[in-house]
Amino acid sequence: QAALYFQAANLSRLQEWTKSAVLLDKFLATYPKPASNLYYPFALFDRANCHYAVGGREENQKALDLVTRVEKEFPGVSIMESNFSLKGNILQSMSKPEEAEKYYLMAHELAEQKKNDLVAGETLFYLVALIGPEKIGKQDNPRVAESVPYYTKFWDKYGADSPFKAKVAVAGIPGMKKIGKLDEALERLQGVIADIAKSPGTPGLEEAIGSYTDAYLESHTPLELKDHYYAFPRIDSRDMATRALLRVAVISVFEDLVVKGSKAKDPEAVRNAEAMIQVLFEELRTAFDPKDLTNFILVKVGNFIRKTSQPLTAKVYFEEALNREKDRSHRFPALFGLADVLSKGTSAQKSEAIVHLKKVIADAEDIGDKEQALYLMANIHAENGNWSEAAQSAETYLKAKNPSYREYRIQARMLLAQSYDKAGKNEDAIAVYFQIWGTSMGAIEYSAPAIKRWMEILWDRNGSNPSGKSDRQFAYEKGYSYIKSTREAVKKATPEGKKMWDAVQALVTEYEARNDTTKVEEKEK
């Protein structure tokens, strides 16, 4: 009994939620009587954690039912403060903030009584995060200042040793800003960044730097931020990993300036920001040897570089992370990053990229990694002219279940249509092109080229249509209807999208003038 429970519980602690859930269900079914099962309430708590980790309305309700059972049926159990805290998390995820706050307070009070400093500090973080956001939706949060007492208590009693100090330092900024103590909050966050930088791999460093950046920029310029981050207080000059992360944060700020300048139609601002990015990028490459950086930073820097105009220079960062035998952390993000870089190279490099992507698809635990890898693999096959493999990968993406992939659905459908088209499978291509423009008409960048090619294939087929019309009349009429229906949507399209839409309009005009068709206006008359 004990062995089965601890096997399941250890998997839960390792966040192997699916594996843990299977063993916990087996444990609770095998030993269903609490009177003879010392571990029964602990198993209920762990199983609730598994449901909560999966997320979603149904799973959250199951989690809520289990923690409520622990609360009602086992009132003196030793994990009650953790059970209250988890119930608060579940209620918050179910959009019940008042009930969540009640349980966080109950958890905190019980944790203090039992001198459980870990849970006491954790629940103070949950309270600060729940009460202290600057906005609730798009509205100002009227309670933001009420988070400050919890923030202050955390630092007075638990901040020195709590693993939640980075999260509290970030979550407390809006409240401290509200009461006029932003500088104090920034100084504390600055200290937290310096402290956690001393322990490589400690979670929260990137988030802490991001929040510090946002708050610092409220009263300083991007150039002042650059100077500040280049000489950040208490960061050892030999701590190359943190110094690199700080520089990436500065580059991100100037990337935002490029976006803002583009929206404001300010070409000078865009040029200045892009020039600074280039300088910072070169400094990043020359000042930091990949061997000095942790795997996390290697992947972070590599991911940044692969999205620039020189993606292949990121290759060395991903390879360094993958070649470390004693450190296998961040392996799948590194594999995906390397594959993405290689996909922009020669035909041989593209083939190498596919090998890496297959490893990600087969073994990565992150669903997002798998999804990106599958879509990228379909793209590479298409670029190499392997239309059958491209179609197969795109079909696999579109047919995926549990979970279904959504991020690149329209792109994958377009890739599938083009693969059928290139392989000479005209009937399949017609069907998929029709799906694209028929269901995503407002996405001009995809619907316009889809209907244009659909019209061309029908015109060339020049047969009869199930509608009773000739292929050519049907292609012309649908193109005419598309142009009429998307006149407003095209106003918001990109220049490239507008160009594609214009090409459809030109084709409609061309087909209208041919003897094979009857004008829509004439038919309507």
Side-chain angles (χ1 to χ4, degrees):
Q1 184 186 85
L4 180 56
Y5 169 68
F6 286 122
Q7 184 183 15
N10 283 333
L11 286 168
S12 176
R13 302 301 181 274
L14 291 168
Q15 300 183 8
E16 297 276 358
W17 306 114
T18 303
K19 294 178 183 178
S20 177
V22 171
L23 290 181
L24 287 166
D25 287 342
K26 179 181 177 182
F27 174 80
L28 291 166
T30 306
Y31 306 102
K33 297 180 180 179
S36 59
N37 184 349
L38 177 67
Y39 306 104
Y40 197 89
F42 300 91
L44 291 179
F45 172 79
D46 289 335
R47 189 64 181 92
N49 243 324
C50 292
H51 283 304
Y52 174 65
V54 173
R57 182 182 301 176
E58 185 177 339
E59 292 293 322
N60 282 334
Q61 185 58 54
K62 289 178 181 178
L64 183 62
D65 293 343
L66 292 179
V67 291
T68 301
R69 282 191 61 191
V70 175
E71 179 185 358
K72 302 298 183 185
E73 297 175 25
F74 306 93
V77 71
S78 61
I79 54 166
M80 189 58 74
E81 64 271 35
S82 295
N83 191 70
F84 285 158
S85 180
L86 176 57
K87 189 167 183 176
N89 291 154
I90 298 164
L91 289 165
Q92 186 176 355
S93 70
M94 296 173 77
S95 301
K96 298 180 179 180
E98 293 180 0
E99 294 180 53
E101 184 177 350
K102 169 188 168 185
Y103 274 93
Y104 288 146
L105 288 169
M106 290 166 60
H108 181 69
E109 182 179 354
L110 186 56
E112 286 201 314
Q113 290 174 12
K114 296 168 68 172
K115 299 189 183 304
N116 185 339
D117 289 354
L118 180 64
V119 175
E122 178 183 8
T123 49
L124 285 172
F125 159 61
Y126 292 143
L127 286 164
V128 174
L130 175 68
I131 300 169
E134 190 168 7
K135 301 274 187 182
I136 298 178
K138 295 182 179 180
Q139 303 297 318
D140 289 338
N141 176 12
R143 298 188 62 197
V144 62
E146 294 179 36
S147 67
V148 174
Y150 300 119
Y151 172 88
T152 304
K153 183 177 183 180
F154 176 88
W155 295 111
D156 289 345
K157 296 189 68 172
Y158 309 106
D161 302 314
S162 174
F164 295 93
K165 60 185 179 182
K167 293 180 178 294
V168 175
V170 170
I173 286 178
M176 293 293 280
K177 177 185 173 184
K178 185 70 175 178
I179 66 169
K181 294 186 176 182
L182 178 59
D183 288 344
E184 180 182 328
L186 282 179
E187 186 176 350
R188 179 167 280 131
L189 181 53
Q190 187 182 103
V192 168
I193 291 170
D195 287 343
I196 60 179
K198 295 173 184 175
S199 304
T202 302
L205 179 59
E206 183 178 5
E207 182 185 7
I209 290 175
S211 295
Y212 186 94
T213 301
D214 292 339
Y216 187 88
L217 287 171
E218 289 189 15
S219 55
H220 298 82
T221 67
L223 287 175
E224 287 174 331
L225 176 78
K226 171 182 173 291
D227 294 339
H228 180 52
Y229 274 11
Y230 273 45
F232 199 84
R234 293 174 52 195
I235 298 296
D236 194 307
S237 61
R238 294 165 293 182
D239 183 357
M240 307 302 283
T242 304
R243 289 175 57 214
L245 192 56
L246 287 165
R247 296 200 181 197
V248 168
V250 176
I251 293 172
S252 297
V253 169
F254 281 94
E255 284 188 311
D256 288 341
L257 291 180
V258 171
V259 174
K260 290 176 182 176
S262 297
K263 288 181 178 179
K265 297 182 179 179
D266 186 346
E268 184 177 357
V270 171
R271 283 194 300 272
N272 291 339
E274 288 178 339
M276 179 57 72
I277 290 171
Q278 186 63 33
V279 170
L280 295 169
F281 169 66
E282 289 301 326
E283 288 181 356
L284 186 66
R285 286 202 307 163
T286 56
F288 297 91
D289 189 322
K291 290 183 172 56
D292 294 330
L293 306 178
T294 65
N295 282 1
F296 168 72
I297 303 297
L298 286 167
V299 172
K300 178 71 179 176
V301 175
N303 281 337
F304 170 76
I305 295 173
R306 73 182 172 89
K307 296 172 185 176
T308 67
S309 59
Q310 304 176 50
L312 286 171
T313 57
K315 185 169 176 281
V316 64
Y317 294 93
F318 296 123
E319 288 178 337
E320 177 64 30
L322 291 168
N323 289 336
R324 294 177 174 175
E325 293 296 330
K326 295 182 180 180
D327 183 1
R328 309 300 290 166
S329 63
H330 303 282
R331 176 169 173 258
F332 290 110
L335 272 173
F336 177 80
L338 179 59
D340 185 48
V341 166
L342 292 172
S343 73
K344 298 173 175 65
T346 63
S347 179
Q349 286 174 320
K350 285 182 169 68
S351 298
E352 185 183 346
I354 288 173
V355 174
H356 296 319
L357 291 170
K358 286 180 177 178
K359 293 178 183 177
V360 176
I361 295 166
D363 298 325
E365 293 184 2
D366 187 280
I367 299 303
D369 289 344
K370 287 177 176 285
E371 180 177 6
Q372 285 192 73
L374 183 54
Y375 174 64
L376 179 57
M377 187 164 74
N379 262 302
I380 296 171
H381 281 311
E383 289 172 3
N384 277 348
N386 299 324
W387 303 114
S388 176
E389 290 88 345
Q392 184 178 358
S393 297
E395 283 179 335
T396 302
Y397 182 97
L398 292 166
K399 292 178 180 179
K401 301 290 184 185
N402 299 319
S404 297
Y405 296 146
R406 298 291 176 192
E407 184 71 20
Y408 308 103
R409 198 160 188 79
I410 188 170
Q411 295 94 323
R413 192 167 278 157
M414 191 71 177
L415 198 57
L416 178 61
Q418 290 169 336
S419 298
Y420 285 148
D421 194 356
K422 294 289 186 180
K425 297 181 177 181
N426 287 349
E427 298 306 313
D428 291 330
I430 287 170
V432 182
Y433 279 132
F434 182 84
Q435 279 186 323
I436 295 167
W437 69 259
T439 60
S440 306
M441 200 171 287
I444 301 297
E445 287 76 8
Y446 297 99
S447 65
I451 194 169
K452 180 175 183 291
R453 186 61 191 138
W454 177 84
M455 291 168 65
E456 290 170 341
I457 298 174
L458 277 185
W459 190 273
D460 290 340
R461 190 174 70 176
N462 194 22
S464 60
N465 192 276
S467 66
K469 301 173 182 176
S470 71
D471 278 342
R472 294 188 170 185
Q473 182 66 30
F474 191 62
Y476 156 65
E477 287 185 11
K478 288 298 181 183
Y480 181 96
S481 177
Y482 172 84
I483 291 298
K484 187 176 180 180
S485 300
T486 55
R487 286 195 184 279
E488 289 301 316
V490 75
K491 294 176 182 178
K492 300 177 182 178
T494 63
E496 185 62 27
K498 178 66 168 60
K499 183 177 179 182
M500 294 173 181
W501 187 89
D502 289 340
V504 178
Q505 188 175 41
L507 190 62
V508 170
T509 302
E510 178 188 333
Y511 288 175
E512 188 175 66
R514 301 286 288 270
N515 294 328
D516 309 74
T517 60
T518 303
K519 288 184 179 182
V520 171
E521 288 92 340
E522 292 178 6
K523 289 188 68 178
E524 288 175 349
K525 287 177 184 178

